[in-house]
Amino acid sequence: MANSAQARKRARQAIKRNAHNASQRSALRTAIKSARKAIESGDKAVASAVFSKSVSVIDRIADKDRIHKNKAARHKSRLAGALKALSLKAA
């Protein structure tokens, strides 16, 4: 356990920060899953709307350094590729 007031405060802050970061990571995963689910449903209009919202969430979390920018780019690229494949399959 922390022995100084400063160390106790840092421990409290770490707990709060950990909870906040976990919440943001969960929101990221939810956004990715919802985009995948929308793309798998086959409805292009709904999928593109959900995709744009998911990209917004991914970018926001990457800007806050919860995930690396390259990981964010990789997720966006894979979702965009799946959406494009849906468009080509429908055409």
Side-chain angles (χ1 to χ4, degrees):
M1 186 60 200
N3 289 324
S4 66
Q6 178 185 10
R8 284 191 294 271
K9 180 177 179 181
R10 294 302 293 170
R12 284 195 310 270
Q13 289 174 332
I15 291 169
K16 287 173 69 173
R17 195 167 46 249
N18 186 349
H20 186 253
N21 291 347
S23 171
Q24 288 189 327
R25 280 192 305 271
S26 177
L28 170 74
R29 292 184 189 119
T30 301
I32 292 169
K33 285 178 188 175
S34 64
R36 283 192 189 130
K37 190 173 183 181
I39 291 169
E40 287 173 5
S41 73
D43 188 356
K44 185 182 178 222
V46 172
S48 60
V50 173
F51 170 74
S52 63
K53 289 180 184 176
S54 297
V55 166
S56 174
V57 171
I58 293 169
D59 284 336
R60 188 168 56 246
I61 292 174
D63 286 342
K64 294 176 183 176
D65 286 333
R66 300 302 170 256
I67 61 169
H68 195 273
K69 61 180 181 151
N70 291 358
K71 181 174 182 175
R74 186 172 63 244
H75 281 300
K76 292 190 300 184
S77 175
R78 288 178 180 167
L79 290 174
L83 185 62
K84 186 176 181 182
L86 174 68
S87 300
L88 295 175
K89 188 171 27 171

